[in-house]
Amino acid sequence: MISVEEALEIVRAQVRDYGIEEVDLLQASGRVLAQDIIADRPYPPFNRVTMDGIAINSKAFFAGKRSFKIEGIQAAGQPQQQLADSDNCLEVMTGAILPAGSDAVIPYEQCEITDNIATVIIDEIEILQNVHLEGTDSKQGDRIIAAGTKITPAVIGLIAASGLAIVEVKKLPKVAVCATGDELVEIDQQPLPHQIRQSNSYMLVAALQAEGIHAQRYHLRDEPQIMFEELTTISNYYDVVLLSGAVSKGKFDHLPTVLNRLNMHTLFHGIAQRPGKPFLFGKLLNDVLIFGFPGNPTSTFVCYQLYFKAWLSKSMGLNVAMPKAVLSKAINFKPNLTLHALVSLSYTEGKIIATQIESSTSGDMVSLALTQGLLSLPANRQEFGTDEAFDLTIV
Ligand SMILES: Nc1nc2c(c(=O)[nH]1)N[C@H]1C(S)=C(S)[C@@H](COP(=O)(O)OP(=O)(O)OC[C@H]3O[C@@H](n4cnc5c(N)ncnc54)[C@H](O)[C@@H]3O)O[C@H]1N2
Ligand code: MOO
Ligand SMILES: [Mg+2]
C-alpha cells in the first residue's frame, strides 16, 4: 500500500490538457481563464470624482478664498464641463469626470451652501483630493488579468469592465459518475429491506457541479460482463470515469478484474489511509482516467475531495494553497494510516479550529453531512495534540 503523499503525487502526474473553449461571461464563473485580459482603456478611464461635493481650483483656496459661487452641476455620465472662473466652483457627483479647470473636490459635509454660494468650512485641503486619477490602476494596453487566473466574481466584474461578453476558458473534462451495486435503487424508489438508495452518485454529481462540470450518472450491476460492456461504451464518451464501490475484497467487487479486462493500467490500488483504503486509480489505453472510489459514502467523498480535486486543480493549472487547522481536542489514532478526520470548523484568534465529528463507520452519512473539513493526521504516529497545525481540506 502506498502513502497519501505518494498517491497524491501519482494522481497529479496524470495531468491532462483538454484545450480551450469560449463561453459567455456569466457562464465563466469558477472556470480558469485561458486568455490574458488587456485594458482597452486606462483605469479609471478619466479623472473620477470620488465624493459628492464641489470641485474648485485649489489655487483660489490656497490664496485664502473660502466662498465659491456655484456655476452648475457636473453629474456622473455627463460630458466634462469647464469651470469658467477659477474663483467659482461646480457641484460634482461621485463617478463624474472632474471638470476642466478644477483640481480638488471638497465633500458636501465640509461646505455650507446658501444662495448658490458654497462656503468651505475646513482650513486644509490637498491638490487632487477626492479624485481617482485617470490610469492610476492600470494603463491602456496593460495586462490586467493573466491567463491561468481562476474566474472569481471580482474577475468577472473586471472582464465586464473591459468590454468582453465572451471569454476563453480552459475546457473541463467530460466526466461520468458510475455507482455500482445490486443493492442500489434510484432515489425515487422505495427500497426493499435489503436495498438502499444510490446516494453516492448524487453526492458526486453535486460535487462536480460545484466545479462547473455537468456529469452524467450511471448505475452498473454487480455483473462482470455487463460492467465490462457498459464501461467499454462509457470510456469512449468521457475523459474521466468516477466509480463508486466494488473495489475492495468482496466476492462481488468485480471492478479490479473488469478494469483489467479493459486494459486499464493500474496506477495504484490501496492507500494507507482511513477512510478510503481500497481506492483504485488507473488509466485506460485511450488515456481515460479511472477513479475507483471505495463505496462507503465517506470513503467516496473523501477520495473525491482529496484526490480528484487535486488532479482537477493541477490539470486546470491552478496552484491551490492548503490551509492548516488545529484540533480543539487531542485525537489518539492507533492504526498506521493517515486519518482524514471529519471535522467541523470555527475560528478563534486568527486560527482555524477543527473539532472531530465522531462517526461510527465510513458508512455514516449522517456524520458526513455535518462535515465542513477533512483534517489529515499523518501516518506513523498515534497522538495528535492541540498545539500543532495539520493540513485541512475545506469541503
Ligand atoms: N475483507 C475486507 N473487507 C473490506 C475492506 C478490506 O480491506 N477487507 N475494506 C473496507 C473498506 S475500508 C471499504 S471503504 C469498503 C469498500 O468497499 P467497495 O469499494 O468494495 O464498495 P462496495 O462493497 O460496493 O460497497 C461498500 C458499502 O458502500 C455502499 N455503497 C456503495 N455504493 C453506494 C452508493 N452509490 N450509494 C450509497 N452507498 C453505496 C454499499 O452498499 C456498501 O454498504 O470495503 C470494506 N470491506
Ligand atoms: O476506508 Mo473504508 O473507506 O474505511 O470505509
Ligand atoms: Mg465491497
Side-chain angles (χ1 to χ4, degrees):
M1 232 173 355
I2 61 170
S3 68
V4 166
E5 294 70 29
E6 288 166 324
L8 278 169
E9 211 167 290
I10 292 170
V11 165
R12 288 201 184 102
Q14 292 302 317
V15 284
R16 298 282 188 276
D17 185 348
Y18 297 109
I20 288 172
E21 64 182 337
E22 289 190 334
V23 294
D24 286 346
L25 184 55
L26 280 179
Q27 302 303 317
S29 200
R31 302 288 295 270
V32 175
L33 196 58
Q35 65 178 106
D36 288 337
I37 303 294
I38 307 297
D40 68 327
R41 349 163 44 189
Y43 288 94
F46 48 82
N47 291 335
R48 185 181 71 92
V49 170
T50 67
M51 298 287 265
D52 306 310
I54 59 166
I56 61 165
N57 185 317
S58 63
K59 282 201 195 78
F61 185 93
F62 294 134
K65 190 162 178 61
R66 292 295 180 270
S67 291
F68 299 86
K69 184 172 167 240
I70 298 171
E71 286 183 5
I73 300 178
Q74 170 83 69
Q78 279 181 348
Q80 188 184 35
Q81 297 182 34
Q82 168 81 45
L83 184 63
D85 183 333
S86 62
D87 278 345
N88 292 345
C89 70
L90 274 162
E91 286 185 75
V92 286
M93 304 302 134
T94 303
I97 186 167
L98 185 72
S102 71
D103 61 5
V105 172
I106 301 167
Y108 280 130
E109 296 87 328
Q110 295 170 356
C111 302
E112 276 167 7
I113 297 181
T114 34
D115 298 334
N116 210 38
I117 305 284
T119 302
V120 179
I121 56 172
I122 51 165
D123 287 323
E124 282 184 17
I125 66 160
E126 280 177 23
I127 189 165
L128 292 175
Q129 69 172 34
N130 302 317
V131 179
H132 186 187
L133 274 185
E134 175 180 328
T136 33
D137 305 342
S138 80
K139 309 272 171 271
Q140 182 174 1
D142 277 359
R143 182 176 75 169
I144 45 175
I145 314 173
T149 300
K150 179 149 184 164
I151 303 178
T152 60
V155 169
I156 295 258
L158 185 51
I159 297 174
S162 322
L164 292 186
I166 291 173
V167 280
E168 284 182 2
V169 294
K170 288 198 146 200
K171 251 192 192 163
L172 290 162
K174 292 200 287 287
V175 181
V177 168
C178 307
T180 68
D182 286 354
E183 73 279 33
L184 307 178
V185 299
E186 252 310 325
I187 62 167
D188 57 359
Q189 312 243 304
Q190 186 56 48
L192 296 170
H194 53 279
Q195 295 178 322
I196 58 165
R197 298 193 178 95
Q198 54 158 301
S199 53
N200 284 355
S201 56
Y202 282 84
M203 181 170 68
L204 288 173
V205 169
L208 290 161
Q209 253 168 26
E211 305 299 328
I213 297 173
H214 303 290
Q216 204 61 44
R217 278 186 327 106
Y218 296 90
H219 176 204
L220 309 179
R221 300 287 310 273
D222 286 324
E223 209 287 297
Q225 183 57 27
I226 298 178
M227 274 183 158
F228 175 78
E229 285 165 13
E230 293 202 26
L231 281 174
T232 302
T233 311
I234 288 168
S235 61
N236 280 325
Y237 283 100
Y238 296 92
D239 302 310
V240 180
V241 182
L242 304 187
L243 291 145
S244 116
V247 293
S248 189
K249 305 269 187 231
K251 287 265 158 31
F252 303 94
D253 291 338
H254 297 305
L255 268 183
T257 325
V258 168
L259 289 166
N260 229 2
R261 237 186 105 193
L262 269 162
N263 292 316
M264 182 182 84
H265 171 52
T266 300
L267 292 158
F268 60 74
H269 188 187
I271 306 176
Q273 63 177 7
R274 181 176 297 165
K277 200 165 72 163
F279 181 17
L280 169 64
F281 180 61
K283 66 173 169 185
L284 302 179
L285 293 176
N286 60 0
D287 248 11
V288 168
L289 288 174
I290 306 285
F291 288 75
F293 299 136
N296 274 324
T298 300
S299 311
T300 292
F301 181 76
V302 165
C303 291
Y304 171 88
Q305 292 292 340
L306 295 178
Y307 300 97
F308 176 80
K309 281 180 78 170
W311 169 80
L312 183 66
S313 294
K314 182 87 197 224
S315 292
M316 291 297 121
L318 294 173
N319 210 342
V320 185
M322 180 170 273
K324 297 228 173 216
V326 293
L327 283 164
S328 63
K329 194 166 155 250
I331 291 181
N332 186 301
F333 181 69
K334 291 217 170 60
N336 189 12
L337 304 168
T338 295
L339 172 66
H340 304 297
L342 308 186
V343 294
S344 61
L345 300 173
S346 59
Y347 303 87
T348 317
E349 290 161 10
K351 279 190 288 197
I352 309 179
I353 311 290
T355 301
Q356 189 178 20
I357 295 168
E358 301 291 345
S359 162
S360 52
T361 72
S362 54
D364 176 359
M365 285 187 269
V366 179
S367 299
L368 186 59
L370 299 172
T371 299
Q372 295 175 313
L374 307 171
L375 197 69
S376 295
L377 309 177
N380 303 318
R381 292 175 50 178
Q382 299 189 357
E383 305 287 338
F384 302 95
T386 56
D387 49 0
E388 195 183 339
F390 299 103
D391 286 347
L392 172 71
T393 305
I394 296 174
V395 298

